[in-house]
Amino acid sequence: MSDLPFLSLFLVSMLLAERALDPAQRSWIALGAGLAAGLAYLTRTAALPIALTAPVSFLHRRQLLRGLLSLSGMLPTILSWQHWTSTHRLFTSEAALTYYTDYLAWQRATVSLDVLVRVVWHNLDAMVRSLAQLLVFDIAVVESPHFERIIAAGALVGALRLVKQSGRLQYPAAAAGMAAMLLLYHYTPDPRLCLPLLPLILMGFWTEAKRIWGSVCGAWRSQATSGRVGAIAATAILAGGGLFLVASNVVGNTVFIPERYARCRSELAERTAAYEWFRTSTPTEATSYAYDDPVFYLYTGRRALGLTMPYGRIYHADPDGEGNEFARGVPKQAREHGLHYLFLTATDFYREGGQRARLTLDATARDKGFREEFAAGQAVVYRSN
């Protein structure tokens, strides 16, 4: 849960860097901006673009010294962290271990040149929609991709307008760098990954909303009938959109999220008996397959491996078919990894969507290499023969 601490450090860095662009301020503020950016980088590597965008913004204002101070504040943390990770790197070709230990290797394995255009195009639309989802909780009411794209387009136009009016450089430049990195990322940009852009998107949305409302007010003052008719239509559209935005957040925070938590509590209660069985009926060295392996470990004290579904399938011709085939192959993979147990539930693969949990359950039930040991609620435990 590093997102909010990262956002805080990132904004501190941007505020200091923007202040350092003022010639009247002390040059050492730029160093402070770099140090804050370095701390943000140690929190999440998403801060990496600042190492380029901050010095470039200073150079744009012909402030070479401050650009170097900014870079010198951030560079030691980048180099130190990269040195530590390189000396402690786990060299493996195993997909599950690579996913947990080496995002760069996972990136190389997922985003190759032959799918690069599809990756960028897919991530662009996902990022645009995610930027809108930072403002509107539409999944709680009626999820509308077209509405999300319109909201995001308005916010982006407003952000560009705000940058032009204010002359601020540091935050917009860093946001552009992060957005470019997300376009090439091996994981679809979701609202969580786009969170560092929230303040800029919020300010851009407000800027554009004020501009449009000013135009509508001007149309109301028009003496022409066509102007009045247009003002009525525009007011109705703005009022409807604003009402939907407010209602979606109210319903999302007062109904949708509480219901989701209640569902999670219910699912946990149904798995409690299986967790207890693992604690009392298996040796401490037992290893298992579990879709949510960290949760499984915390409740049972037994090591588990979650077999990560290759995310690159979404960029291929038949992503659903590849996902289904992976789900059916879980028993085989578990046996190849030498796992003693399979912990299966009816809600597995909820992150990937679809009804793939049933595919794994059916494949395991037919696999003669496993036998059912325990079943309670949503959970079924199989043991390797």
Side-chain angles (χ1 to χ4, degrees):
M1 298 297 176
S2 59
D3 305 277
L4 291 177
F6 169 78
L7 178 60
S8 301
L9 292 168
F10 169 64
L11 291 179
V12 167
S13 173
M14 291 298 96
L15 289 169
L16 291 174
E18 194 64 55
R19 178 172 294 184
L21 284 175
D22 184 356
Q25 299 292 334
R26 294 179 180 273
S27 299
W28 294 107
I29 296 178
L31 178 62
L35 292 172
L39 293 175
Y41 176 79
L42 292 179
T43 310
R44 290 185 67 85
T45 52
L48 183 60
I50 303 175
L52 175 63
T53 61
V56 167
S57 297
F58 284 115
L59 288 176
H60 180 72
R61 296 284 179 85
R62 294 181 173 83
Q63 297 174 333
L64 177 60
L65 175 60
R66 300 190 181 203
L68 292 174
L69 286 172
S70 172
L71 185 61
S72 65
M74 186 178 185
L75 201 57
T77 56
I78 296 177
L79 296 178
S80 299
W81 175 250
Q82 292 307 124
H83 172 72
W84 188 92
T85 54
S86 64
T87 55
H88 292 75
R89 183 182 178 188
L90 176 65
F91 291 92
T92 177
S93 58
E94 168 55 49
L97 297 179
T98 299
Y99 174 79
Y100 282 112
T101 62
D102 195 337
Y103 273 14
L104 186 58
W106 190 261
Q107 172 79 14
R108 290 196 298 266
T110 304
V111 183
S112 54
L113 289 177
D114 58 322
V115 297
L116 184 59
V117 174
R118 273 176 285 175
V119 169
V120 172
W121 182 250
H122 183 94
N123 286 355
L124 176 62
D125 184 60
M127 183 167 61
V128 167
R129 293 184 57 191
S130 295
L131 292 176
Q133 290 167 4
L134 292 171
L135 303 176
V136 56
F137 206 142
D138 59 341
I139 191 175
V141 185
V142 178
E143 189 172 12
S144 173
H146 300 301
F147 181 74
E148 290 170 352
R149 293 176 185 123
I150 292 172
I151 291 294
L156 289 170
V157 170
L160 291 173
R161 197 183 308 278
L162 183 62
V163 171
K164 184 177 180 180
Q165 293 173 354
S166 66
R168 305 289 185 179
L169 296 177
Q170 292 285 4
Y171 187 11
M178 290 181 177
M181 190 166 64
L182 287 176
L183 290 179
L184 301 173
Y185 196 47
H186 61 260
Y187 191 86
T188 300
D190 58 16
R192 183 179 71 85
L193 294 179
C194 293
L195 185 63
L197 310 182
L198 171 59
L200 183 62
I201 291 300
L202 187 61
M203 290 185 290
F205 179 79
W206 180 249
T207 299
E208 194 63 11
K210 288 195 302 181
R211 188 193 69 82
I212 294 175
W213 180 247
S215 300
V216 171
C217 291
W220 274 109
R221 291 190 292 267
S222 174
Q223 300 299 318
T225 303
S226 59
R228 292 291 182 88
V229 172
I232 293 173
T235 302
I237 293 173
L238 289 175
L243 181 63
F244 179 80
L245 192 151
V246 173
S248 69
N249 280 284
V250 170
V251 173
N253 286 283
T254 61
V255 179
F256 182 85
I257 289 180
E259 287 182 351
R260 177 62 62 89
Y261 274 116
R263 192 179 313 130
C264 290
R265 285 193 293 268
S266 175
E267 292 174 357
L268 176 60
E270 292 186 5
R271 299 176 187 181
T272 300
Y275 290 147
E276 181 63 24
W277 182 87
F278 264 99
R279 282 198 302 269
T280 59
S281 304
T282 62
T284 56
E285 65 273 12
T287 57
S288 304
Y289 161 80
Y291 178 72
D292 283 320
D293 42 340
V295 177
F296 178 88
Y297 173 77
L298 289 173
Y299 278 93
T300 67
R302 304 296 186 267
R303 290 180 299 153
L305 178 66
L307 301 171
T308 305
M309 184 180 293
Y311 197 76
R313 74 189 189 284
I314 65 173
Y315 307 123
H316 298 160
D318 186 18
D320 290 335
E322 289 188 33
N324 293 341
E325 190 62 29
F326 181 90
R328 295 189 188 97
V330 165
K332 179 182 177 182
Q333 291 193 62
R335 185 164 49 251
E336 291 173 350
H337 284 81
L339 302 178
H340 303 121
Y341 296 92
L342 276 79
F343 176 73
L344 307 178
T345 76
T347 57
D348 288 352
F349 296 108
Y350 63 88
R351 288 187 293 269
E352 290 80 10
Q355 302 299 318
R356 297 191 175 97
R358 176 49 54 188
L359 298 178
T360 303
L361 286 165
D362 292 343
T364 308
R366 294 192 303 268
D367 194 315
K368 296 181 179 180
F370 294 93
R371 66 178 184 273
E372 184 177 321
E373 285 283 290
F374 182 85
Q378 290 186 335
V380 183
V381 179
Y382 285 88
R383 181 174 182 174
S384 175
N385 290 329

